[in-house]
Amino acid sequence: LKVGDAEEQSAAWEYESLRRTLFGELLHAFIDTAAAEKRARIAKEQHDTLQQMQQGMVVKVNAGKATNL
């Protein structure tokens, strides 16, 4: 009876260990995904800003108001 209890306890510990490992991996994947989404959002914002700046420069050049470098 004690051997059975030990095997059951060992299986419970193994299950808990695997559960915690999986939870940790899932948490890391979630954080990595959230960080990637934020980097993508920032890159899009930078792209949009640069595109607006470029359009402004085109307007100035077409109007003959661009500064000489």
Side-chain angles (χ1 to χ4, degrees), residues 7-48:
E7 287 177 354
E8 184 179 335
Q9 188 175 17
S10 176
W13 279 104
E14 185 176 346
Y15 170 80
E16 185 62 22
S17 175
L18 290 172
R19 189 187 71 78
R20 288 178 186 228
T21 298
L22 179 60
F23 179 78
E25 290 174 3
L26 204 63
L27 182 61
H28 284 289
F30 176 80
I31 291 169
D32 289 346
T33 301
E37 288 175 350
K38 185 170 185 172
R39 286 192 303 272
R41 189 179 73 249
I42 290 170
K44 183 183 180 328
E45 289 171 1
Q46 289 175 336
H47 175 265
D48 292 347

Side-chain angles (χ1 to χ4, degrees), residues 53-68:
M53 290 172 66
Q54 185 222 11
Q55 290 171 354
M57 292 303 294
V58 167
V59 169
K60 285 184 177 183
V61 167
N62 290 338
K65 296 183 179 182
T67 59
N68 294 330

